[in-house]
Amino acid sequence: MTGKRPAPSGESRDSKPHKRQKTRDARTIAVQGTGPCRSETIKFTADSLTGLPGSIDVEKFAEARTFEIGAMQTAMQNTRDDSSKRVFQTLPRHLRRRTASHDVRRVPLRLRVKARAEMDPVKKKKKLKALAKRGKGGDIGRTEKLKKRQREKTWLETHIWHAKRMKMENLWGYRLALHPTEKSFRPSHRAAVHGSILQDVSYFGTLEMKGPITLLKKVLSLCCDPQVPCGSSRYTFGGRLCDTHIYQVGAYPFDIIGPCALLWKPDDTSTLAPSGETTIAPSKSDSHRVVWLRCHPGIFDAMHRAIVESATTIFQKVSSQTSQSYQESEIEIADLRKEINAFEIIGPKANQVLAGALKLTKEAELASRKVWRTLKDLRSTASVPRGMVLGLKVHDPRLSFPPVNEKPSEKNDHPIPAPAFTISPSPDISKSRLWDEAVRDAVRKPKYKKKDLDHRRSKNLVPGTRLRPIQDDNRVDIILIQRTISPSAMVSTATKPHKGSASYSSPNSQPPLHGWTILLPAGWSMPFFSTLTHTGTRVGGIREHQTQHFEASAPHFPRDYVTTLAYEAFWTKRGEEEKAKWERTPKAKRVPYGAIGIRSPWRADWEVVLGIDTSDGGGDGHRGGGGAGGDGGDGEGLIPTQPPQAMEDILHAMLGDGESNDQEEHPGSEEQTTKRETEQSEPIVRPWLLHGHDVQTLLDDMARTETAEESAAILFKRVSTLREKKGLESISTSPEALMKGGLVPVRIRICGRGTPGDLGAIYRNDLTGEDEVKWREEASRAMKGKRKEVWADHGMGDGDDANPLDAAPDPSSIIGYITSGHFSLQLGKGYGLGSVSLPQLVEIMRKDMKEGWKYPCKLVKVRSREGVMCRAACLEINSL
């Protein structure tokens, strides 16, 4: 390549001197020469000015100064032409605007005249003739356009705010925010642990039931978890929220629908029914009560059907009685999904945020005001009783905008220790007019818009002064509910196992997260949301909501609730998305699932784990998924050419000449028929989840037995006792089938380095003798941080000395799957949530008890779906 063209002689390649000289010339004013200077000196005296004319001729004077005037005009024009910056470019960086080059209004007022002169004249567009018979009559307004976009989904009231800042997706009939568009994964976690984070959970559905309290208790007892006394006076007085689970009518422990929260309306005049009541007979004091059931939108319809079916069953029993008063009773069931909105604010600073953003009215109850004054000095919501309900009446939060967070009391610049929260839940502090439908309808639309309040604020003498409430301003009734994110097993401390127990968990478990749930009437989401977000509180989506549960060891619905229909729908949709992405990836860059022995990595095969599906398809027990076997070459994606045995029987019955011919042609058919009859006579195994606050104690009792039959008998007795307590019929399945279909939620902690992923497989430890002793010692050292990682094989080592497995484990040793696996920011290491088979877990615990293994106990092998090697991990009992 030839070089650049040589510069002409005398010219420099450097442009700076040339530009400097050009600027100097532009700023120079030409001066007219005066000719040769005379040598004599002119002297001025006092009378030198005498005789000068009193006026001058303007024309002659201008003609005499023609050169100077022309030089001045030329210099001004040269300076203007030489300028390399426009007016808006001379502004400081923080005052510049992108549109200032063509919009004068974006330039400060003092420079607009000059900026307007620098701009090109506006070209007038040629007006087009309007089409005939076309006007604005056919155009629809902005509101109608937005409603038209909500035909197939529902928008929350804060949708537009979220759509500008978050990734949105259609879920469960709503348009919901997944996560912020900015990188905020770690800041959101820090906000939940040290600050506060807000989420709009108005998509959760609310179902209202009205009727006699005795009938309401009976209806709930048929479909709620019998382990939680949702009809006891602990919850029915209305001062505490009840967290339970909904089942199909009379199906406990099978057919779980999902989690549900019950909230009773406070009523001081009601008299609770006797706890030992067994017959359905009303008493004179049987008052009408109201209860709200809040649940996930994915199971709202299923919960609604279960409640209606339960109420129908109760009234069928009532109709056989002769009591006229009960036959005239009724239960009203109403859908409040469009009448109640809700926010969740999680973090230790939630009290200070709410105290600064919300201002109580003078009409608020005295007991509520006392609690409200106490909350701002609390360092965390953990000091408040779990599930405590607080009813408040607050002013329009826009009146006190911008809000200022309250600060705990200080003395001599040192924070005063937070006082003990000694207020117990009671109906006096939980009363709220939000329960009344007429009150909700009256405040559905705020009286004043934001522009009206801004106009009132502009009339204040001092700018920034908050508005004083007037008589016409809205007063909003809200309900605050203490919110704790943790497994239900952490509630009870009476059943905490000792260190030598097989159910002992490591002491470095994640602490729960605490906050508040705010219930408010429809139409007030944006006034409250805009005020709360102005306090420095972060805003999260569904991803942040799931991360909070994961860091607190609490299963998240629906991804961690195995055996539910919502779980199947969630993983089916996610599997389809992952499979489509996997198929788009080139073969050289995607994981060859078929080659590493995984038939279907898109979902977990719980039928294989429970022993229900024993078909051999190669791999580690994943159900055939179609598409993942193309890279393996093991024939897993092929279509079988032989019809199944059931189809063969049908064909022979249709084409055969008789029973004798069929037996002659198929001499083994009689044995096969006998085998199928034997299989049909066996009880059907149905999967179900074992959870509750006393699961650890139950598993310890089952592990102390000698045989599996004794363990099954203990479990069967426990379930039968709970069903009898709620007046349900005896369970129809056998103890062995009940034991075989059980699944237990667990926490998975990796021994050393490594992070378990979603849908990772959990395998049983098959080592014995010295190999097992060595493996447990290495795992114990890794749990204490003295070793980096432990492979689940015989030859363990670090770095280059590691000798991981070269083949996948035996498919028959799989005992469960990981439903949520990730790096835990709270623990600083890999961590996961999943479920394992109940018989396999009891067998592992029984082995640890017999051999005297205390810590670490319940050691298993964990395999990621992207690889073959297994890592050592420790199981801990979890709950829903």
Short mmCIF file of all heavy atoms in Angstrom, two decimals, residues 22-76:
data_model
loop_
_atom_site.label_atom_id
_atom_site.label_comp_id
_atom_site.label_asym_id
_atom_site.label_seq_id
_atom_site.Cartn_x
_atom_site.Cartn_y
_atom_site.Cartn_z
N LYS A 22 -6.14 30.58 11.70
CA LYS A 22 -7.42 30.99 11.13
C LYS A 22 -8.26 31.73 12.16
O LYS A 22 -8.90 32.74 11.85
CB LYS A 22 -8.17 29.75 10.65
CG LYS A 22 -9.52 30.05 10.02
CD LYS A 22 -10.21 28.77 9.59
CE LYS A 22 -11.57 29.07 9.00
NZ LYS A 22 -12.28 27.81 8.58
N THR A 23 -8.23 31.27 13.39
CA THR A 23 -8.97 31.96 14.45
C THR A 23 -8.38 33.32 14.73
O THR A 23 -9.10 34.31 14.96
CB THR A 23 -8.96 31.10 15.72
OG1 THR A 23 -9.51 29.80 15.42
CG2 THR A 23 -9.78 31.74 16.82
N ARG A 24 -7.03 33.41 14.70
CA ARG A 24 -6.38 34.70 14.95
C ARG A 24 -6.73 35.71 13.85
O ARG A 24 -6.97 36.89 14.12
CB ARG A 24 -4.87 34.49 15.04
CG ARG A 24 -4.13 35.75 15.47
CD ARG A 24 -2.62 35.53 15.53
NE ARG A 24 -2.29 34.50 16.49
CZ ARG A 24 -1.82 33.30 16.16
NH1 ARG A 24 -1.67 32.98 14.88
NH2 ARG A 24 -1.51 32.42 17.09
N ASP A 25 -6.75 35.24 12.64
CA ASP A 25 -7.11 36.15 11.54
C ASP A 25 -8.56 36.62 11.64
O ASP A 25 -8.89 37.76 11.29
CB ASP A 25 -6.89 35.44 10.19
CG ASP A 25 -5.41 35.15 9.95
OD1 ASP A 25 -4.56 35.77 10.63
OD2 ASP A 25 -5.11 34.27 9.10
N ALA A 26 -9.44 35.70 12.09
CA ALA A 26 -10.85 36.08 12.19
C ALA A 26 -11.08 37.11 13.28
O ALA A 26 -12.03 37.90 13.21
CB ALA A 26 -11.70 34.83 12.46
N ARG A 27 -10.24 37.09 14.29
CA ARG A 27 -10.41 38.02 15.41
C ARG A 27 -9.64 39.34 15.22
O ARG A 27 -9.63 40.18 16.12
CB ARG A 27 -9.97 37.35 16.70
CG ARG A 27 -10.84 36.16 17.08
CD ARG A 27 -10.33 35.50 18.34
NE ARG A 27 -11.18 34.37 18.71
CZ ARG A 27 -10.92 33.56 19.75
NH1 ARG A 27 -9.86 33.76 20.50
NH2 ARG A 27 -11.75 32.58 20.00
N THR A 28 -8.94 39.49 14.11
CA THR A 28 -8.14 40.71 13.85
C THR A 28 -8.98 41.72 13.08
O THR A 28 -9.64 41.37 12.09
CB THR A 28 -6.88 40.35 13.05
OG1 THR A 28 -6.12 39.38 13.77
CG2 THR A 28 -6.04 41.59 12.81
N ILE A 29 -8.95 42.95 13.50
CA ILE A 29 -9.67 44.04 12.85
C ILE A 29 -8.67 44.87 12.03
O ILE A 29 -7.63 45.32 12.56
CB ILE A 29 -10.38 44.95 13.87
CG1 ILE A 29 -11.35 44.10 14.71
CG2 ILE A 29 -11.12 46.09 13.19
CD1 ILE A 29 -12.04 44.90 15.79
N ALA A 30 -8.95 45.05 10.78
CA ALA A 30 -8.04 45.80 9.90
C ALA A 30 -7.98 47.27 10.31
O ALA A 30 -8.98 47.86 10.74
CB ALA A 30 -8.50 45.68 8.44
N VAL A 31 -6.79 47.86 10.15
CA VAL A 31 -6.55 49.27 10.51
C VAL A 31 -6.02 50.00 9.28
O VAL A 31 -5.13 49.49 8.57
CB VAL A 31 -5.56 49.38 11.68
CG1 VAL A 31 -5.33 50.85 12.06
CG2 VAL A 31 -6.08 48.59 12.88
N GLN A 32 -6.54 51.21 9.02
CA GLN A 32 -6.12 52.00 7.86
C GLN A 32 -4.78 52.65 8.13
O GLN A 32 -4.51 53.16 9.22
CB GLN A 32 -7.17 53.06 7.54
CG GLN A 32 -6.88 53.85 6.28
CD GLN A 32 -7.97 54.85 5.99
OE1 GLN A 32 -8.81 55.11 6.86
NE2 GLN A 32 -7.95 55.41 4.79
N GLY A 33 -3.89 52.59 7.14
CA GLY A 33 -2.58 53.21 7.30
C GLY A 33 -2.68 54.72 7.36
O GLY A 33 -3.54 55.34 6.74
N THR A 34 -1.70 55.37 8.10
CA THR A 34 -1.72 56.83 8.28
C THR A 34 -0.59 57.53 7.53
O THR A 34 -0.43 58.74 7.65
CB THR A 34 -1.61 57.17 9.76
OG1 THR A 34 -0.43 56.59 10.28
CG2 THR A 34 -2.82 56.61 10.52
N GLY A 35 0.21 56.82 6.76
CA GLY A 35 1.30 57.45 6.02
C GLY A 35 2.50 57.71 6.92
O GLY A 35 2.54 57.28 8.08
N PRO A 36 3.50 58.37 6.39
CA PRO A 36 4.70 58.66 7.19
C PRO A 36 4.40 59.61 8.36
O PRO A 36 3.60 60.54 8.24
CB PRO A 36 5.64 59.32 6.19
CG PRO A 36 4.74 59.86 5.13
CD PRO A 36 3.58 58.95 5.03
N CYS A 37 4.97 59.28 9.46
CA CYS A 37 4.73 60.06 10.67
C CYS A 37 5.61 61.32 10.67
O CYS A 37 6.80 61.24 10.32
CB CYS A 37 5.05 59.20 11.89
SG CYS A 37 4.73 60.03 13.45
N ARG A 38 5.00 62.44 11.07
CA ARG A 38 5.77 63.67 11.14
C ARG A 38 6.59 63.73 12.40
O ARG A 38 6.17 63.23 13.44
CB ARG A 38 4.84 64.89 11.07
CG ARG A 38 4.17 65.04 9.68
CD ARG A 38 3.19 66.19 9.66
NE ARG A 38 2.08 65.94 10.57
CZ ARG A 38 1.09 66.82 10.73
NH1 ARG A 38 1.08 67.99 10.09
NH2 ARG A 38 0.11 66.54 11.55
N SER A 39 7.74 64.39 12.31
CA SER A 39 8.67 64.40 13.43
C SER A 39 8.29 65.40 14.50
O SER A 39 8.66 65.28 15.64
CB SER A 39 10.10 64.70 12.94
OG SER A 39 10.10 65.95 12.28
N GLU A 40 7.58 66.47 14.04
CA GLU A 40 7.28 67.47 15.05
C GLU A 40 6.24 66.98 16.03
O GLU A 40 5.41 66.14 15.70
CB GLU A 40 6.80 68.78 14.40
CG GLU A 40 5.51 68.66 13.62
CD GLU A 40 5.77 68.30 12.16
OE1 GLU A 40 6.89 67.84 11.90
OE2 GLU A 40 4.84 68.45 11.32
N THR A 41 6.29 67.52 17.23
CA THR A 41 5.39 67.15 18.32
C THR A 41 4.30 68.18 18.44
O THR A 41 4.57 69.40 18.46
CB THR A 41 6.16 67.05 19.64
OG1 THR A 41 7.22 66.12 19.47
CG2 THR A 41 5.24 66.61 20.76
N ILE A 42 3.04 67.66 18.53
CA ILE A 42 1.89 68.55 18.64
C ILE A 42 1.60 68.75 20.12
O ILE A 42 1.48 67.78 20.89
CB ILE A 42 0.66 67.96 17.94
CG1 ILE A 42 0.97 67.74 16.45
CG2 ILE A 42 -0.55 68.86 18.11
CD1 ILE A 42 -0.14 67.09 15.68
N LYS A 43 1.53 69.98 20.51
CA LYS A 43 1.26 70.33 21.89
C LYS A 43 -0.15 70.88 22.02
O LYS A 43 -0.60 71.66 21.19
CB LYS A 43 2.26 71.37 22.39
CG LYS A 43 3.70 70.87 22.42
CD LYS A 43 4.63 71.94 22.97
CE LYS A 43 6.06 71.46 23.02
NZ LYS A 43 7.00 72.50 23.54
N PHE A 44 -0.84 70.40 23.07
CA PHE A 44 -2.20 70.86 23.35
C PHE A 44 -2.18 71.77 24.57
O PHE A 44 -1.51 71.45 25.56
CB PHE A 44 -3.14 69.67 23.60
CG PHE A 44 -3.37 68.85 22.37
CD1 PHE A 44 -2.57 67.76 22.09
CD2 PHE A 44 -4.38 69.19 21.49
CE1 PHE A 44 -2.78 67.01 20.96
CE2 PHE A 44 -4.60 68.44 20.36
CZ PHE A 44 -3.80 67.35 20.07
N THR A 45 -2.92 72.85 24.46
CA THR A 45 -3.02 73.79 25.57
C THR A 45 -4.47 73.90 26.01
O THR A 45 -5.35 73.24 25.44
CB THR A 45 -2.47 75.18 25.15
OG1 THR A 45 -3.25 75.64 24.04
CG2 THR A 45 -1.00 75.10 24.78
N ALA A 46 -4.69 74.75 26.99
CA ALA A 46 -6.04 74.87 27.54
C ALA A 46 -7.00 75.48 26.53
O ALA A 46 -8.20 75.19 26.55
CB ALA A 46 -6.00 75.72 28.80
N ASP A 47 -6.46 76.36 25.66
CA ASP A 47 -7.36 76.96 24.69
C ASP A 47 -7.29 76.30 23.33
O ASP A 47 -7.60 76.90 22.32
CB ASP A 47 -7.03 78.45 24.55
CG ASP A 47 -5.56 78.64 24.17
OD1 ASP A 47 -4.81 77.63 24.22
OD2 ASP A 47 -5.19 79.75 23.83
N SER A 48 -6.83 75.06 23.31
CA SER A 48 -6.69 74.38 22.03
C SER A 48 -8.04 73.99 21.46
O SER A 48 -8.19 73.83 20.24
CB SER A 48 -5.84 73.12 22.18
OG SER A 48 -4.56 73.45 22.62
N LEU A 49 -9.06 73.72 22.28
CA LEU A 49 -10.38 73.28 21.82
C LEU A 49 -11.28 74.45 21.48
O LEU A 49 -12.44 74.23 21.08
CB LEU A 49 -11.04 72.42 22.90
CG LEU A 49 -10.28 71.15 23.29
CD1 LEU A 49 -11.04 70.38 24.37
CD2 LEU A 49 -10.07 70.26 22.08
N THR A 50 -10.79 75.63 21.66
CA THR A 50 -11.63 76.77 21.33
C THR A 50 -11.75 76.88 19.82
O THR A 50 -10.82 76.60 19.08
CB THR A 50 -11.01 78.05 21.90
OG1 THR A 50 -9.69 78.20 21.37
CG2 THR A 50 -10.96 77.99 23.43
N GLY A 51 -12.90 77.22 19.41
CA GLY A 51 -13.14 77.38 17.98
C GLY A 51 -13.69 76.15 17.32
O GLY A 51 -14.00 76.19 16.11
N LEU A 52 -13.81 75.00 18.03
CA LEU A 52 -14.37 73.79 17.43
C LEU A 52 -15.87 73.96 17.26
O LEU A 52 -16.54 74.61 18.08
CB LEU A 52 -14.09 72.57 18.30
CG LEU A 52 -12.62 72.14 18.41
CD1 LEU A 52 -12.49 70.94 19.34
CD2 LEU A 52 -12.06 71.79 17.03
N PRO A 53 -16.44 73.37 16.23
CA PRO A 53 -17.90 73.52 16.03
C PRO A 53 -18.69 72.80 17.11
O PRO A 53 -18.25 71.79 17.67
CB PRO A 53 -18.12 72.91 14.65
CG PRO A 53 -17.00 71.96 14.46
CD PRO A 53 -15.81 72.58 15.17
N GLY A 54 -19.85 73.27 17.40
CA GLY A 54 -20.71 72.66 18.42
C GLY A 54 -21.44 71.43 17.92
O GLY A 54 -22.01 70.68 18.71
N SER A 55 -21.43 71.14 16.64
CA SER A 55 -22.10 69.96 16.07
C SER A 55 -21.30 69.47 14.88
O SER A 55 -20.45 70.20 14.35
CB SER A 55 -23.54 70.30 15.66
OG SER A 55 -23.54 71.32 14.66
N ILE A 56 -21.61 68.22 14.46
CA ILE A 56 -20.91 67.63 13.33
C ILE A 56 -21.94 67.18 12.32
O ILE A 56 -23.10 66.91 12.64
CB ILE A 56 -20.03 66.45 13.76
CG1 ILE A 56 -20.90 65.36 14.37
CG2 ILE A 56 -18.93 66.88 14.70
CD1 ILE A 56 -20.12 64.10 14.69
N ASP A 57 -21.46 67.06 11.09
CA ASP A 57 -22.31 66.57 10.01
C ASP A 57 -22.21 65.05 9.99
O ASP A 57 -21.11 64.49 9.82
CB ASP A 57 -21.86 67.17 8.67
CG ASP A 57 -22.86 66.85 7.57
OD1 ASP A 57 -23.80 66.02 7.83
OD2 ASP A 57 -22.71 67.37 6.46
N VAL A 58 -23.32 64.35 10.20
CA VAL A 58 -23.31 62.89 10.32
C VAL A 58 -22.84 62.24 9.03
O VAL A 58 -22.05 61.30 9.02
CB VAL A 58 -24.71 62.37 10.71
CG1 VAL A 58 -24.73 60.83 10.77
CG2 VAL A 58 -25.14 62.95 12.04
N GLU A 59 -23.29 62.74 7.91
CA GLU A 59 -22.93 62.13 6.64
C GLU A 59 -21.45 62.25 6.39
O GLU A 59 -20.77 61.29 5.98
CB GLU A 59 -23.73 62.77 5.51
CG GLU A 59 -25.23 62.49 5.60
CD GLU A 59 -25.97 63.11 4.43
OE1 GLU A 59 -25.33 63.78 3.61
OE2 GLU A 59 -27.21 62.92 4.35
N LYS A 60 -20.92 63.47 6.62
CA LYS A 60 -19.49 63.66 6.41
C LYS A 60 -18.66 62.83 7.39
O LYS A 60 -17.62 62.28 7.04
CB LYS A 60 -19.13 65.15 6.52
CG LYS A 60 -19.71 66.00 5.40
CD LYS A 60 -19.27 67.45 5.54
CE LYS A 60 -19.82 68.30 4.39
NZ LYS A 60 -19.41 69.74 4.50
N PHE A 61 -19.16 62.75 8.64
CA PHE A 61 -18.42 61.98 9.65
C PHE A 61 -18.42 60.50 9.31
O PHE A 61 -17.40 59.81 9.40
CB PHE A 61 -19.04 62.21 11.02
CG PHE A 61 -18.31 61.50 12.12
CD1 PHE A 61 -17.16 62.05 12.69
CD2 PHE A 61 -18.77 60.28 12.60
CE1 PHE A 61 -16.49 61.37 13.70
CE2 PHE A 61 -18.11 59.61 13.60
CZ PHE A 61 -16.97 60.15 14.17
N ALA A 62 -19.58 59.97 8.85
CA ALA A 62 -19.64 58.56 8.48
C ALA A 62 -18.80 58.28 7.26
O ALA A 62 -18.16 57.22 7.14
CB ALA A 62 -21.10 58.15 8.24
N GLU A 63 -18.79 59.27 6.32
CA GLU A 63 -17.98 59.07 5.12
C GLU A 63 -16.50 59.06 5.48
O GLU A 63 -15.71 58.31 4.89
CB GLU A 63 -18.30 60.19 4.12
CG GLU A 63 -17.56 60.03 2.78
CD GLU A 63 -17.93 61.14 1.81
OE1 GLU A 63 -18.77 61.98 2.19
OE2 GLU A 63 -17.40 61.13 0.70
N ALA A 64 -16.12 59.86 6.47
CA ALA A 64 -14.71 59.89 6.88
C ALA A 64 -14.31 58.61 7.61
O ALA A 64 -13.14 58.22 7.61
CB ALA A 64 -14.46 61.12 7.76
N ARG A 65 -15.31 57.94 8.24
CA ARG A 65 -15.01 56.70 8.99
C ARG A 65 -15.51 55.45 8.26
O ARG A 65 -15.81 54.44 8.87
CB ARG A 65 -15.67 56.76 10.38
CG ARG A 65 -15.19 57.90 11.25
CD ARG A 65 -13.71 57.66 11.63
NE ARG A 65 -13.24 58.68 12.55
CZ ARG A 65 -12.63 59.80 12.18
NH1 ARG A 65 -12.45 60.06 10.90
NH2 ARG A 65 -12.24 60.67 13.09
N THR A 66 -15.59 55.49 6.98
CA THR A 66 -16.09 54.36 6.20
C THR A 66 -15.21 53.13 6.35
O THR A 66 -15.69 52.00 6.50
CB THR A 66 -16.18 54.76 4.71
OG1 THR A 66 -17.04 55.89 4.57
CG2 THR A 66 -16.71 53.61 3.87
N PHE A 67 -13.94 53.29 6.35
CA PHE A 67 -13.02 52.14 6.45
C PHE A 67 -13.16 51.46 7.81
O PHE A 67 -13.21 50.22 7.90
CB PHE A 67 -11.58 52.62 6.24
CG PHE A 67 -10.60 51.50 6.30
CD1 PHE A 67 -10.35 50.71 5.18
CD2 PHE A 67 -9.91 51.22 7.49
CE1 PHE A 67 -9.43 49.66 5.26
CE2 PHE A 67 -9.00 50.18 7.55
CZ PHE A 67 -8.76 49.39 6.43
N GLU A 68 -13.22 52.24 8.90
CA GLU A 68 -13.32 51.66 10.22
C GLU A 68 -14.64 50.88 10.40
O GLU A 68 -14.67 49.78 10.96
CB GLU A 68 -13.21 52.73 11.32
CG GLU A 68 -11.82 53.29 11.48
CD GLU A 68 -11.50 54.37 10.46
OE1 GLU A 68 -12.34 54.56 9.54
OE2 GLU A 68 -10.46 55.01 10.58
N ILE A 69 -15.74 51.47 9.88
CA ILE A 69 -17.03 50.78 10.02
C ILE A 69 -17.05 49.49 9.21
O ILE A 69 -17.53 48.45 9.67
CB ILE A 69 -18.17 51.73 9.58
CG1 ILE A 69 -18.26 52.95 10.51
CG2 ILE A 69 -19.50 50.98 9.54
CD1 ILE A 69 -19.26 53.99 10.07
N GLY A 70 -16.52 49.53 8.03
CA GLY A 70 -16.46 48.32 7.22
C GLY A 70 -15.58 47.26 7.84
O GLY A 70 -15.88 46.06 7.77
N ALA A 71 -14.45 47.67 8.43
CA ALA A 71 -13.57 46.71 9.07
C ALA A 71 -14.25 46.04 10.27
O ALA A 71 -14.08 44.83 10.52
CB ALA A 71 -12.27 47.41 9.50
N MET A 72 -15.03 46.84 11.02
CA MET A 72 -15.74 46.28 12.17
C MET A 72 -16.79 45.27 11.72
O MET A 72 -16.91 44.17 12.29
CB MET A 72 -16.40 47.40 12.96
CG MET A 72 -17.21 46.92 14.17
SD MET A 72 -16.18 46.09 15.41
CE MET A 72 -15.24 47.50 16.02
N GLN A 73 -17.56 45.58 10.68
CA GLN A 73 -18.57 44.64 10.19
C GLN A 73 -17.94 43.37 9.63
O GLN A 73 -18.43 42.25 9.84
CB GLN A 73 -19.44 45.32 9.12
CG GLN A 73 -20.32 46.43 9.66
CD GLN A 73 -21.12 47.10 8.56
OE1 GLN A 73 -20.84 46.94 7.37
NE2 GLN A 73 -22.13 47.89 8.97
N THR A 74 -16.82 43.52 8.93
CA THR A 74 -16.13 42.35 8.38
C THR A 74 -15.60 41.46 9.50
O THR A 74 -15.68 40.22 9.43
CB THR A 74 -14.99 42.81 7.47
OG1 THR A 74 -15.52 43.63 6.42
CG2 THR A 74 -14.28 41.61 6.86
N ALA A 75 -15.05 42.07 10.54
CA ALA A 75 -14.52 41.28 11.67
C ALA A 75 -15.64 40.52 12.38
O ALA A 75 -15.47 39.36 12.78
CB ALA A 75 -13.79 42.20 12.65
N MET A 76 -16.78 41.18 12.55
CA MET A 76 -17.90 40.50 13.20
C MET A 76 -18.41 39.34 12.37
O MET A 76 -18.71 38.25 12.89
CB MET A 76 -19.05 41.50 13.43
CG MET A 76 -18.72 42.59 14.45
SD MET A 76 -19.97 43.88 14.52
CE MET A 76 -21.40 42.95 14.97
#
